Every structure is written in C-alpha cells, then in structure tokens.
Amino acid sequence: MALADPETHGFDTRRLARLDALLHDRYVAPGLLPNAQLLIARDGEIVHFSHHGAAREGGAPIDATSLFRIASMTKPITSIAFMMLVEEGKVAVDTPVHHVLPEFKGLGVYNGGGGGVPFMTKPTTEPMRMLDLLRHTSGLTYGFQNRSNIDAAYREGKLENWHGNFDLDEFVGALGKIPLEFSPGEAWNYSVATDVLGAIVQRVSGIKLDDFYRTRIFEPLGMHDTFFAVPEDKVDRLTDCYDWVPGGKPKMFDRGDKSAWSRQPRFLSGGGGLVSTALDYHRFCSMCLNGGSLDGARIVSRKTLDLMTLNHLPGGKDLSSLSKSLFSEAQNAGTGFGLGFAVNMDVAKSMMPGSVGEYYWGGMFSTAFFIDPVERIHMVFMTQLRPSSAYPIRRELKTLIYSALT
C-alpha cells in the first residue's frame, strides 16, 4: 500500500526510523515480543506502517492483513455504540442502569462476608448510572485484580471467561447477585462495566451485539476484518498470542491455527472480545478524529465525540488520585477518563510529550492506540503479549512519535 509522505505531513523521516529500530532491536529481535506492528497517521493519511516479527511460531512475517486480539480496545467501540443509541433518544448518559437491566435493581455495596460466608451489603448512596459504566466508576471490578472478596467471587463464578458458557443476559444475571465494591461515583476501578454496557446496547437496540457492531459500525466504516469470531477463510491470518514469562521466553497462550477466537463465543464481550487489524482500527480512529464520520458514513456527531473525550471523573480528578487499584501509578497523574477513553488533562503531569485533549486506551495483549485532535495524529500499535504492563513500550512509542514532529 502507498504511504503519504511523512515530510509533507510534518514528520522528520530520520527520526521516524528510530521507531523501527526500537521495535526490532529492543523488542522483537531479542524475543521480548513475538512481533510488532506500528501505524501512524496524520489527518487520516498513513505516514508510517511497519511490521516486525512472525505472525506464528516459525511462520511468515506479519503484514497489513494480520489479525490481532485487541481485547480492551473493544471498549471504545462499545462506548461509541452506546452513544449512537443516546443520539437516537433511546437511552441517556444519566439513565440508571437498572432501568434497562432490572437484574441490577437493589444491588448493594459490600459490607462483609465472602469466602463461603453470605455477603452483607449496604445501600448505594447514588444509583449506578450509564455514566458510571462509561467512565468506570460503577463499583464493579475485574476478577484478575486479586485484591478483594468481590473479585474472588467474580473468579469463582468465572464471569470473565470470554469463551465460557455465559451469554450476555446470563452474565448480567450472575453479576447482579454480587455486591459492588463501592457506591457508584465514589471511586474509579477498571472493571467489567463495558461488558455490562454491551448488554445494554443489545437490550436497548433489540439487536445482538455482534450484529449491531457489524451493521451499524463496521460495515459503514469499511472495517471488514473486525469481529468476535474470525471467519474460517481468514483464520490463516490470525497471529499467535503469548504470555510474558519474567526473565524467560514468552509462553504460548493461544495458537492462531487453533484459536478460541476462531469459534463464535456465547459471551459477546463488549469489554474485550474483538479481533481486528491495524488498518481496520485506523479507520475507527480516523472516524473519531474526523468528528464522527468517515467517507460519507456518519457514526456519531461531532458534539457527541466532544462530550466523550472530556474528563468525566468526579470532581475533575485524575486516575492516580481516584483509582482503587490498576492505573493509580504516578504515570497516570494528569490522566482523566471520559465516556470510553482515557483523556490527557495535564501534559506536564504525564511526564511525556502529548497534547491536552488527546485520548487513548489499550488492550491486555499489549495493543494500543491514541488520538491527538490537536496535532491531528493517531497511532495504532499491534502485538500479542499478555500482560500489557510487561514493558514500557507504549510510553516509548509515544515519546518517539512526538519527537519526530517538525
């Protein structure tokens, strides 16, 4: 594919070359990452698209057609889907969740018990609203956090098994029997909230979540390689996926040729279930950067995206001050959270180059994206290594991308 000229789009070509040296020399060649793919665009035009490493163990190199499990990069897509329904007047950002999901009516806050002892609860001070799901202030959690009796109950119930036996309605029913960690709006906690939001999209629209994505977002945007289950004729393009082993060689987690992602899941995870390509996610980012439309297809309005990319955390706080667990590190100082995206509020506190109003997120297999509406830049990074915290590669990429601007 032809790339736009980086120089005419405000990039120093020699400095952009540092990115490929970083990815190849520091990560792929030594075996720290199985592969790495980087796409950089300005004003929707791709100025850099590089590929490093093999798609599968002992196989051919990755290329523009390679498919990656994008995990939590599914969350912004689900959030956009929900806001489409808001624009149609079918639901609102401040609608109480139990108005759509009666399974959540009367859900209380943990006040003792667990570990074989019945849970005790106290009432919430405020009802859980759609806003809380979008910004992760719902009181829900993730079982993998391993820090409370509530996330232990999630693990015991196998609530986060993407390829398990729950469908969305069963998932909501099981979740409605477990107390919240805190009253909605009182803290920030990364959680299954976006999976719940996916269930809301399905119930409000009356359309299965995968069909809603396909007909309302993917087909209009030309995202023909994004799905919950990889079609049989595209499985050969699905990359292997690995687990990080401290001090050792990454361990195979999911083989591309025998992948769980090649089978239709019962649980359509709006929080992390999609597979995609860098080029498809580039189209999603381009739509966002373009104010909600791309190539004549209007997905949401410009003002809706403006609303989504403001900081919605209570009291204007940031993740480092409001987070209960993950993302409370100092590097998240100055980072707020909008309606589906993290948002850069204070570039100085982030301690790396960027722009106020830039928004982003990533996935557990180390994929990442960011969109900068000030510089009109977006990035999509693909690889397949869990967890995403294994290496500081996202910060390194962002620093090198901004250092290449002229």
Side-chain angles (χ1 to χ4, degrees):
M1 60 175 292
L3 302 182
D5 179 24
E7 298 284 350
T8 60
H9 284 75
F11 283 97
D12 183 317
T13 305
R14 290 171 298 178
R15 285 180 167 244
L16 278 178
R18 295 174 178 174
L19 287 154
D20 289 336
L22 171 84
L23 293 173
H24 179 267
D25 299 345
R26 186 176 301 178
Y27 287 105
V28 177
L32 300 183
L33 290 179
N35 47 51
Q37 188 173 72
L38 179 65
L39 184 154
I40 304 168
R42 197 167 202 183
D43 285 315
E45 297 288 328
I46 301 173
V47 298
H48 181 94
F49 193 21
S50 61
H51 322 276
H52 308 272
R56 293 183 178 174
E57 195 171 44
I62 59 169
D63 60 26
T65 69
S66 296
L67 292 162
F68 299 86
R69 302 152 194 82
I70 62 171
S72 287
M73 281 167 59
T74 305
K75 287 180 169 70
I77 294 172
T78 305
S79 302
I80 287 282
F82 174 81
M83 296 305 292
M84 294 170 75
L85 298 174
V86 171
E87 289 192 337
E88 293 169 10
K90 295 179 178 177
V91 68
V93 173
D94 65 347
T95 299
V97 172
H98 71 267
H99 285 190
V100 177
L101 304 179
E103 297 94 330
F104 277 29
K105 188 172 178 60
L107 194 57
V109 178
Y110 176 74
N111 196 33
V117 178
F119 285 122
M120 295 181 288
T121 63
K122 57 186 178 181
T124 61
T125 56
E126 294 288 340
M128 185 194 302
R129 301 183 187 277
M130 303 300 174
L131 170 66
D132 294 304
L133 298 176
L134 287 156
R135 68 183 183 181
H136 291 287
T137 57
S138 63
L140 299 167
T141 190
Y142 265 131
F144 63 73
Q145 300 209 46
N146 291 298
R147 47 178 275 284
S148 73
N149 286 334
I150 302 304
D151 61 46
Y154 282 33
R155 292 193 300 277
E156 290 165 12
K158 298 181 179 178
L159 294 185
E160 296 153 40
N161 187 348
W162 293 339
H163 302 96
N165 294 320
F166 283 122
D167 65 16
L168 272 177
D169 289 331
E170 293 163 346
F171 166 76
V172 167
L175 198 57
K177 296 183 174 80
I178 302 173
L180 302 174
E181 287 209 339
F182 53 86
S183 194
E186 290 185 355
W188 190 93
N189 191 43
Y190 200 43
S191 75
V192 298
T194 318
D195 289 307
V196 175
L197 198 68
I200 288 165
V201 169
Q202 184 165 279
R203 287 206 192 172
V204 170
S205 68
I207 303 169
K208 278 192 65 183
L209 189 63
D210 52 353
D211 290 334
F212 187 98
Y213 285 165
R214 179 177 51 80
T215 60
R216 299 290 306 276
I217 299 175
F218 300 155
E219 287 180 354
L221 291 180
M223 295 172 64
H224 302 304
D225 285 326
T226 305
F227 17 63
F228 284 110
V230 180
E232 186 177 353
D233 62 350
K234 296 184 179 183
V235 168
D236 62 318
R237 294 160 47 192
L238 181 59
T239 53
D240 288 341
C241 191
Y242 296 82
D243 276 328
W244 176 61
V245 176
K249 182 181 178 182
K251 179 182 176 182
M252 185 71 69
F253 166 68
D254 184 68
R255 291 189 179 278
D257 61 346
K258 300 176 181 177
S259 176
W261 279 263
S262 66
R263 302 184 292 275
Q264 180 67 20
R266 288 197 73 219
F267 181 49
L268 301 174
S269 172
L274 289 174
V275 171
S276 190
T277 63
L279 286 174
D280 264 21
Y281 214 85
H282 155 66
R283 292 191 66 78
F284 178 77
C285 292
S286 296
M287 176 274 294
C288 292
L289 190 62
N290 202 39
S293 69
L294 183 67
D295 296 339
R298 169 67 62 185
I299 305 300
V300 291
S301 75
R302 175 175 58 85
K303 295 303 287 184
T304 291
L305 267 171
D306 288 347
L307 176 66
M308 295 181 74
T309 55
L310 295 171
N311 179 33
H312 287 263
L313 294 183
K317 293 183 179 180
D318 62 10
L319 292 184
S320 65
S321 61
L322 202 65
S323 176
K324 296 281 286 184
S325 53
L326 298 174
F327 308 104
S328 57
E329 305 91 346
Q331 71 187 55
N332 286 297
T335 299
F337 211 88
L339 306 182
F341 306 91
V343 181
N344 192 339
M345 301 188 302
D346 190 319
V347 176
K349 287 183 178 178
S350 76
M351 295 180 286
M352 57 181 162
S355 299
V356 172
E358 150 208 336
Y359 51 102
Y360 64 93
W361 204 237
M364 69 186 297
F365 301 118
S366 301
T367 60
F369 79 97
F370 75 78
I371 300 170
D372 182 339
V374 177
E375 296 289 346
R376 305 286 299 169
I377 295 170
H378 69 260
M379 175 208 82
V380 179
F381 175 69
M382 296 292 198
T383 187
Q384 298 282 256
L385 182 75
R386 182 177 68 170
S388 61
S389 57
Y391 304 110
I393 189 165
R394 294 170 177 172
R395 294 177 65 84
E396 293 167 346
L397 289 173
K398 191 164 180 283
T399 298
L400 267 63
I401 288 168
Y402 280 103
S403 76
L405 283 176
T406 57

